[in-house]
Amino acid sequence: VMKDEKFWREGMDGKRFALCSFRRFWFFGAAGILGAAVSAGLYLLITVALAGPPEYQVFSQYRIYFDSEKYGEIQDYYNAYTWGEIMKTDEVLDYVMEALPEGITKEQVKASVSVGAMNDVKIMPLTITTQDPELSETIAEAYVYGLDRFGHSIEGLSGMDCWLLEDAQEVPRGTKAGNAALLGLILGAAVGFFAWLIWYCLDDSIYLEADFENRYGIPVLGVLTEKRDAFLQKELETALAVRLKGQERVCVVDAAQTAGRKESASGGSSLEDEVVKNGPEWEECRWPFDEGEAERMKQSGVLLMLPWGKGSGRMAGRLVNGLEKLEVPVVGAVIYGAKDGFLRAYYGKKGGRA
């Protein structure tokens, strides 16, 4: 009988989890690459394809002269934010508009002007951005005139001089695609890992003897690996000899048949040829059982053959439940097709147990 149908409550075997995770690194990598591609693609779509017409910027710098003799440390009251707001006030715009040709509105000027970060409170970086390079240069030149007038008209300042005025440059787009791809890579890999973690918690596959024994209380007598590890084969031979001592016949049932899989461990012939040279007669019984097979299994008992890896737990559960309904005794189980490298890594040394 299955001890606990909630196999995801069995607890976490750290080494088992790590080894299963290592086998899924390709999945985490693929999820990360997919996330990077999607993130970079969306970023470029928004910033390039859907961004509308190109924009042109004119960068300029102004030296601000504070009237410290009359007003003291008045510069402490100014920063990039306050200057950014001041550049859009009528006190500045009225002077700027005097230098602009007709047809350019205050709203256009307000929308175009911005002040960058100020490392020095006396140096103000001013940027004009529009969709027309000539318009950007025209507004920028008007600010040179307007701020000179403004600097001499407002209390607390003694002047504002333009130190730098560049030509209009097209605003580059999609410059952060690499950052977007890196973020997508990290998020994609993280999503892939958590998806795998959920799958791992719900996975009932058999990788170790304890995976089956803890659920059903049926002893696993041994493991047959793909490369037929000699130590594990000897261990299985001894367990079968002791467990089946005195029996004339034993029925062997492959759990893979319950899922319609074609691969199998070759039933009793594989064990008889490779492991047990002198023992009971082996009979391979195939699912679903007829009445005659069921009666023979009740008399001799059943040895289960369990495929290693994905989906094996659900196959085994169905088979065990079916045998329980028929009141067939199970003498033990053998796991076949196990990965040699997985077991060596888990148990810590080749051909043995840590």
Side-chain angles (χ1 to χ4, degrees):
V1 181
M2 192 172 187
K3 289 184 175 181
D4 186 356
E5 293 182 357
K6 303 298 183 182
F7 49 85
W8 46 273
R9 294 179 182 173
E10 292 174 359
M12 181 73 74
D13 183 331
K15 185 179 288 188
R16 181 186 188 275
F17 174 74
L19 291 173
C20 290
S21 298
F22 291 156
R23 299 176 67 239
R24 294 295 184 272
F25 270 174
W26 65 269
F27 174 73
F28 306 147
I33 293 173
L34 178 61
V38 171
S39 180
L42 288 175
Y43 172 80
L44 292 173
L45 177 66
I46 294 171
T47 60
V48 178
L50 302 180
E55 294 182 323
Y56 298 87
Q57 277 187 351
V58 174
F59 178 77
S60 57
Q61 276 190 341
Y62 288 82
R63 171 68 164 87
I64 305 171
Y65 296 95
F66 293 97
D67 191 354
S68 300
E69 292 183 4
K70 183 177 181 180
Y71 294 97
E73 301 297 323
I74 190 173
Q75 65 267 21
D76 294 341
Y77 295 96
Y78 292 88
N79 55 38
Y81 175 78
T82 55
W83 279 119
E85 294 299 312
I86 290 171
M87 293 302 103
K88 299 178 182 181
T89 62
D90 288 339
E91 286 82 355
V92 173
L93 290 176
D94 286 344
Y95 291 120
V96 173
M97 297 303 294
E98 291 178 10
L100 288 173
E102 293 184 4
I104 301 176
T105 66
K106 276 189 178 182
E107 294 304 318
Q108 283 180 285
V109 177
K110 282 184 180 182
S112 69
V113 66
S114 62
V115 174
M118 297 176 65
N119 297 323
D120 186 339
V121 72
K122 297 179 181 179
I123 306 297
M124 181 184 72
L126 186 74
T127 302
I128 304 298
T129 306
T130 72
Q131 294 178 353
D132 183 344
E134 292 183 4
L135 177 61
S136 294
E137 291 179 350
T138 299
I139 295 175
E141 291 168 358
Y143 261 96
V144 175
Y145 168 81
L147 290 179
D148 178 64
R149 294 285 306 277
F150 173 77
H152 290 94
S153 67
I154 188 172
E155 292 186 3
L157 301 183
S158 58
M160 294 182 71
D161 292 340
C162 181
W163 280 12
L164 175 67
L165 182 63
E166 296 181 348
D167 294 331
Q169 302 289 333
E170 184 175 349
V171 179
R173 297 179 176 181
T175 58
K176 303 295 183 181
N179 293 345
L182 179 60
L183 178 61
L185 178 69
I186 295 172
L187 292 178
V191 170
F193 174 77
F194 283 110
W196 150 250
L197 183 61
I198 294 173
W199 183 89
Y200 178 84
C201 292
L202 298 177
D203 182 25
D204 62 353
S205 299
I206 297 173
Y207 295 102
L208 302 168
E209 296 98 315
D211 294 337
F212 181 77
E213 292 174 339
N214 292 341
R215 295 173 201 166
Y216 303 102
I218 298 172
V220 174
L221 305 182
V223 180
L224 283 173
T225 65
E226 290 181 335
K227 297 180 180 179
R228 294 300 191 259
D229 182 275
F231 183 92
L232 294 175
Q233 194 156 317
K234 178 63 177 177
E235 186 181 71
L236 174 59
E237 180 180 347
T238 302
L240 286 172
V242 172
R243 191 76 176 182
L244 303 179
K245 186 176 182 179
Q247 289 194 220
E248 297 182 357
R249 174 193 296 269
V250 65
C251 294
V252 180
V253 180
D254 191 342
Q257 295 170 358
T258 65
R261 286 192 179 182
K262 294 181 179 180
E263 73 270 21
S264 71
S266 298
S269 60
S270 176
L271 292 175
E272 187 175 13
D273 295 340
E274 299 186 36
V275 181
V276 181
K277 305 299 189 297
N278 299 311
E281 179 183 347
W282 302 89
E283 179 183 356
E284 183 176 0
C285 298
R286 305 184 65 85
W287 177 282
F289 313 116
D290 58 33
E291 184 177 354
E293 285 179 320
E295 290 299 325
R296 291 195 300 274
M297 288 190 297
K298 291 176 68 173
Q299 295 176 5
S300 62
V302 166
L303 179 67
L304 300 181
M305 300 298 296
L306 308 175
W308 184 90
K310 183 179 179 181
S312 52
R314 188 57 58 194
M315 300 177 207
R318 183 182 181 191
L319 181 56
V320 170
N321 289 336
L323 293 173
E324 181 185 11
K325 293 175 183 177
L326 296 175
E327 298 181 350
V328 173
V330 179
V331 298
V334 175
I335 299 173
Y336 67 88
K339 300 287 185 182
D340 294 73
F342 183 94
L343 295 183
R344 282 198 300 268
Y346 184 86
Y347 290 116
K349 58 182 179 179
K350 184 175 181 179
R353 311 293 179 118

